[in-house]
Amino acid sequence: MNNFLSVNDVTDVSALVKEAIQLKSNPFTPNVAPSKTLGLVFFNPSLRTRMSSQKAAQNLGMNVIVMDVNQSGWKLEFGDGVVMDGGTQEHVKDAVKTMSQYVDILGVRTFPGLVDREKDYQEEVLQQFVKHAEVPIVSLESATLHPLQSLADLITIAEKKIERPKIVLSWAPHPKPLPQAVANSFLEWVKLTNAEVTLACPEGFELAEQYTDGVKIQHDQQEAMKGADFVYTKNWSSYADYGAIAPELPWTINKEKMALTNNGSFMHCLPMRRNVVATDEVIDESLVYEQALNRVFSAQVVLKRLLS
């Protein structure tokens, strides 16, 4: 593994999940990387990614340097050949090459603009880091994917030891436009398992075909949820009408909808707007905190692989 940007950087998803679960049983291995440093670069806010990545690195004995670019750094220029006589003070090439001298692995968290689909799906920011870095790059979430979250989700599902789980990825309401990254990434990863997967969403909120290929799409949420072992709920803005949000729809997950499942477990990556995405009683009986804990071990197993 040279970088960790998507599931395509993993040769055996099942083996990686098993290794993460083994690390969870004995997480403190400070002799793995006692002289190594992890750099974490954030272009947008973070709670679980920030803290879990730091904890994972510390479990391995690594030092950690964290930088909030928009608060602590110079405004970066991403264009090549630009005459920088405007509002940007530092070119991303110079910044990334400098960072590479200070750290052994560089984690980067970016966010889409949700205006220009082509630009977002080209992953301009992340790819500039990959292009100029002299150390491995880990995606801490990009404009279109969130691989560390997806790995944590598969760890959480695997721990339930259901032989062939039925999993529903369901769209949920939200008052603001959100990216498709978590949903895209989850489908990309879960399709490589033996799970039966259904995408439940309103019409017009289907995801890009590269992620939904081979996945059953259902526009009736309650019908999709029948007999499910896991209901993974997340909002995303429209891919077709890029960045658009839906009018108010009755897609909030409540106890009555969960009763349609096979005593199913509710999942969400957090943060979550309570009583908008799901009701309090659903969230309080869910796997969301297990997922959050497993973010430590998804990050730890990736860092361990990159260091070895």
Side-chain angles (χ1 to χ4, degrees):
M1 188 186 295
N2 298 315
N3 294 303
F4 184 77
L5 311 179
S6 75
V7 75
N8 296 322
D9 293 306
V10 179
T11 55
D12 188 333
V13 169
S14 177
L16 191 66
V17 169
K18 288 178 182 177
E19 186 177 348
I21 293 173
Q22 289 172 352
L23 276 176
K24 186 175 180 178
S25 66
N26 184 26
F28 304 109
T29 51
N31 294 325
V32 171
S35 61
K36 302 296 184 180
T37 300
L38 172 66
L40 300 176
V41 179
F42 291 91
F43 285 85
N44 61 299
S46 170
L47 188 160
R48 278 147 294 276
T49 298
R50 182 186 301 258
M51 295 187 70
S52 63
S53 298
Q54 290 186 68
K55 177 66 173 175
Q58 290 163 358
N59 285 350
L60 297 171
M62 300 182 77
N63 300 309
V64 183
I65 300 173
V66 181
M67 183 172 186
D68 293 290
V69 174
N70 295 328
Q71 296 177 14
S72 306
W74 301 110
K75 187 174 182 181
L76 295 177
E77 173 61 56
F78 289 90
D80 291 329
V82 174
V83 177
M84 291 176 55
D85 57 357
T88 55
Q89 294 90 5
E90 182 160 23
H91 197 280
V92 65
K93 177 179 182 178
D94 302 324
V96 174
K97 285 187 174 294
T98 299
M99 292 177 193
S100 297
Q101 298 179 101
Y102 302 151
V103 303
D104 300 281
I105 297 175
L106 197 53
V108 184
R109 181 180 176 99
T110 67
F111 203 75
L114 293 176
V115 175
D116 185 332
R117 186 175 75 183
E118 183 177 354
K119 182 178 179 181
D120 285 346
Y121 273 71
Q122 286 176 348
E123 296 283 8
E124 177 189 40
V125 176
L126 183 63
Q127 288 304 319
Q128 285 279 22
F129 272 78
V130 173
K131 178 180 178 180
H132 298 301
E134 297 171 2
V135 296
I137 296 293
V138 175
S139 171
L140 306 176
E141 185 178 11
S142 69
T144 65
L145 295 171
H146 199 345
L148 284 176
Q149 180 64 54
S150 301
L151 176 54
D153 297 334
L154 293 198
I155 294 167
T156 306
I157 291 168
E159 288 178 321
K160 292 299 178 182
K161 298 180 179 179
I162 299 174
E163 187 172 340
R164 179 171 165 76
K166 179 179 178 180
I167 302 173
V168 176
L169 173 62
S170 177
W171 180 93
H174 198 279
K176 294 184 177 182
L178 293 181
Q180 299 98 34
V182 170
N184 286 345
S185 194
F186 181 72
L187 289 182
E188 190 175 58
W189 284 73
V190 78
K191 285 197 298 182
L192 297 180
T193 72
N194 69 341
E196 177 187 343
V197 186
T198 299
L199 173 66
C201 63
E203 292 188 21
F205 284 81
E206 300 83 0
L207 298 166
E209 288 186 9
Q210 68 194 86
Y211 303 113
T212 60
D213 183 42
V215 174
K216 179 181 178 182
I217 299 176
Q218 172 66 262
H219 297 305
D220 185 326
Q221 184 190 44
Q222 295 188 48
E223 186 65 30
M225 289 177 62
K226 289 179 180 178
D229 298 297
F230 299 92
V231 177
Y232 195 138
T233 305
K234 183 73 177 74
N235 173 267
W236 57 87
S237 57
S238 176
Y239 173 78
D241 184 11
Y242 195 64
I245 61 174
E248 189 172 332
L249 295 171
W251 279 63
T252 301
I253 303 292
N254 55 32
K255 204 163 187 177
E256 290 71 29
K257 292 180 181 178
M258 290 302 296
L260 298 170
T261 69
N262 181 29
N263 195 27
S265 298
F266 176 83
M267 300 177 67
H268 191 282
C269 62
L270 297 179
M272 172 170 34
R273 294 187 182 236
R274 283 176 172 255
N275 302 305
V276 176
V277 173
T279 60
D280 286 328
E281 56 188 353
V282 169
I283 299 167
D284 291 341
E285 297 177 359
S286 72
L287 295 179
V288 297
Y289 304 124
E290 286 89 335
Q291 289 173 265
L293 174 61
N294 285 333
R295 286 298 308 277
V296 174
F297 307 107
S298 68
Q300 190 168 339
V301 73
V302 168
L303 293 175
K304 184 171 177 285
R305 286 279 186 98
L306 288 171
L307 288 166
S308 61

